[in-house]
Amino acid sequence: MSRQVVTRFAPSPTGMLHIGGVRTALFCWLFARKHGGRFILRVEDTDLSRSTDDNIRIIEEGMAWCGLEWDEGPVQGDPSQWVGPHGPYRQMQRMELYRAKIQELLDKGLAYRCRCSRETIEARRKTVETAGKVFQYNRGMDRGKGCADAGHDASQPAAIRFRMPETGDILVADLIKGDTRFPADSLDDWIIARTGDGPGQIGVPTYNFCVVVDDTHMEVTHVIRGDDHLNNTPKQIPLFEAFGYDLPAFAHVPMILGADGAKLSKRHGATSITEYQAMGLLPSAVRLALARLSWTPKIDGRAVESAEEELLTDEQMIQLFDLADCQKSAARFDMDKLQWINQKLIQRSPWQELEPHLRPFVPELWDNKPAAWRERAITATQKGKSLTDMAEALRFAFERPESFDEKAVEKFLTPSLKPALAEVAALADYTHDALEAAFTSILERHGLKTKDLAQALRVALCGKPVSPGIYDTLMLVGREEVAERLKRWL
RNA sequence: GGGGCUAUCGUCUAGGGGUCAGGACACCGCCCUUUCACGGCGGUAACACGGGUUCAAAUCCCGUUAGCCCUACCA
């Protein structure tokens, strides 16, 4: 009988939620949902210099916007509260546990106090490296010089090191990377707790220690994280063993690179999830695009094979998700594909579903419009690549043009069109069918083509020769306002 | 320097001994069209390099190169 699946996303609050982190979180979320398990959000704030409530809030908001709801973790916006049986979910609030576990290792002789100053270690490192060897604490040329053997003055504050195995290989059985072996003699006794405040004190524990304790105490069954942590795993495994803990399953997902193949950073443009939000992307599109980096969904053992199949719903993603279908190599982030997915999802969303997402991008006036108008506004612009495109395409409906495209005026607003425009200005019935009928009649009487009138109207009404379908354009501007905007051209 | 991971069209990828090396995005062309778009149809384009193993290698093995990660009292 296997335990319920539990995954976790454990970001450190550095000031933004990185898109790469979101992708890792997404994999954790998909995996938990697929197996009917739980998904934990845990905040790794042991780096005191960077962690603030504000930074934690940024993570919570980013996750929430992405639709990656967590079953256990902090309560959004309230630092004092959490949901779930294994809280608190902020590491700085879990110090008692860590200190007890460190004391346990100390008592068992599996860890020891290290009083080597940074200066001493640097000096020793230098000696070893000038001899052309690799420096490892208390290993190789440094053997016998570490505190494990030295019996330093116990009255001094100390850091704490974990006694690592010295021979053999440490095996990481990774669900994505496969079996990976690390020679034990390439590692050394690493620090699990920083120097404490006074003699006998235990300082703030380090990342690699907290993860092991937390993952176990939070009953995490599957550690799914970025592959920058693959090299940390052989440090952590002996620690699990020292505690007598069961090993979770590990899955290290490849990194996301910028378009040029370098690590995704500021200069590639958007790295923070809030920037994607501001670009007018749907959270569902971000989820799909991110999921498809390094993951190929297989339907009946066959990779997706058409544009239609590419456009998976969340339900389909959850159903299809499998770590075995994940790539081992890093993927470059493709903004074009994200935008294509966004466009497709915008196109196929019912207008009511789109409205709350579009709302932040349009003027306040939006709320005063009747439902029929809002529906028309959305359906008339639903071919845009983004919500910002839609909002831009709807500007004419909220405000009069500030300026008029001179070339377009010259080309389309010819004097001969005035009588036809005057007739349009006088139209009373603003239903689609009535407008169409009226246009047919006007066109016929004036010997014009649809294009002539439509373009002239677009320029007169919107200032430029681009707008939604001409009847939609008229209806969105509204009868009285059309008459008003047409006056100056008659 | 040491250890680890990775390598198929521009990008995401399928393919795991015999394929005209398949698809999606992007790009280009044609069609549709009241503008911009949407849509439809078609096209260009790839196995990093060098050795093996084999009748046969993108596929298996070794090496090289390149990129990334770890090598902190950061996470």
Side-chain angles (χ1 to χ4, degrees), chain A residues 11-15 43-53 55-56 90-93 95 98 194 204-208 210:
Chain A
S12 51
T14 57
V43 181
E44 313 237 323
D45 56 351
T46 56
D47 182 350
L48 279 3
S49 63
R50 299 190 289 192
S51 303
T52 61
D53 283 355
N55 286 346
I56 294 173
R90 286 160 71 144
Q91 289 185 326
M92 284 312 289
Q93 298 174 350
M95 283 302 135
Y98 303 140
R194 300 169 173 90
V204 178
T206 57
Y207 163 79
N208 282 114
C210 299

Side-chain angles (χ1 to χ4, degrees), chain A residues 65-298:
Chain A
W65 179 77
C66 282
L68 301 176
E69 69 277 6
W70 52 98
D71 306 307
E72 292 179 37
V75 167
Q76 197 179 338
D78 187 346
S80 66
Q81 302 233 63
W82 66 81
V83 286
H86 307 296
Y89 293 86
R90 286 160 71 144
Q91 289 185 326
M92 284 312 289
Q93 298 174 350
R94 299 170 66 76
M95 283 302 135
E96 269 181 63
L97 205 214
Y98 303 140
R99 294 211 164 103
K101 299 311 288 184
I102 284 169
Q103 190 58 51
E104 187 182 320
L105 291 179
L106 247 16
D107 293 344
K108 287 185 187 162
L110 298 171
Y112 56 90
R113 294 178 193 279
C114 170
R115 297 177 184 85
C116 301
S117 66
R118 286 169 199 262
E119 294 72 36
T120 325
I121 290 184
E122 262 328 295
R124 274 152 54 190
R125 177 190 304 279
K126 216 156 200 172
T127 314
V128 173
E129 284 174 357
T130 37
K133 304 277 187 194
V134 179
F135 177 80
Q136 292 178 92
Y137 183 88
N138 201 212
R139 295 287 143 85
M141 275 180 68
D142 196 56
R143 185 176 298 283
K145 297 184 175 144
C147 292
D149 314 293
H152 288 209
D153 178 3
S155 70
Q156 293 307 302
I160 295 167
R161 287 185 188 266
F162 176 63
R163 232 181 262 283
M164 286 280 283
E166 299 191 30
T167 57
D169 284 349
I170 299 164
L171 171 70
V172 179
D174 193 275
L175 263 21
I176 292 175
K177 303 281 185 179
D179 284 1
T180 305
R181 274 162 232 279
F182 296 78
D185 61 13
S186 67
L187 277 359
D188 63 6
D189 295 347
W190 50 282
I191 288 177
I192 55 178
R194 300 169 173 90
T195 299
D197 291 334
Q201 297 285 300
I202 294 171
V204 178
T206 57
Y207 163 79
N208 282 114
F209 179 84
C210 299
V211 202
V212 170
V213 172
D214 286 343
D215 284 341
T216 302
H217 286 250
M218 293 179 179
E219 299 182 66
V220 172
T221 57
H222 296 259
V223 172
I224 302 171
R225 72 212 329 179
D227 71 4
D228 48 338
H229 287 296
L230 182 59
N231 301 274
N232 287 146
T233 313
K235 292 184 184 180
Q236 296 168 198
I237 285 178
L239 195 52
F240 278 100
E241 289 167 349
F243 280 125
Y245 290 157
D246 287 339
L247 240 38
F250 293 101
H252 288 94
V253 316
M255 307 264 86
I256 296 177
L257 274 21
D260 59 357
K263 193 178 168 182
L264 193 61
S265 68
K266 276 283 173 214
R267 73 191 166 78
H268 293 109
T271 50
S272 158
I273 193 67
T274 51
E275 295 173 78
Y276 289 81
Q277 183 175 4
M279 275 184 239
L281 295 164
L282 255 15
S284 53
V286 172
R287 283 196 293 275
L288 217 205
L290 251 23
R292 290 294 280 97
L293 252 27
S294 302
W295 172 51
T296 304
K298 302 269 176 78

Side-chain angles (χ1 to χ4, degrees), chain A residues 7-9 24-33 39 224:
Chain A
T7 62
R8 107 276 122 122
F9 174 54
T24 309
L26 176 66
F27 276 27
C28 294
W29 180 82
L30 285 170
F31 190 81
R33 291 287 170 272
F39 171 55
I224 302 171

Side-chain angles (χ1 to χ4, degrees), chain A residues 416-417 420 439-450 452:
Chain A
S416 60
L417 270 151
F439 266 55
T440 309
S441 153
I442 294 171
L443 259 22
E444 198 172 313
R445 273 182 284 109
H446 297 273
L448 296 168
K449 290 180 186 163
T450 311
D452 303 327

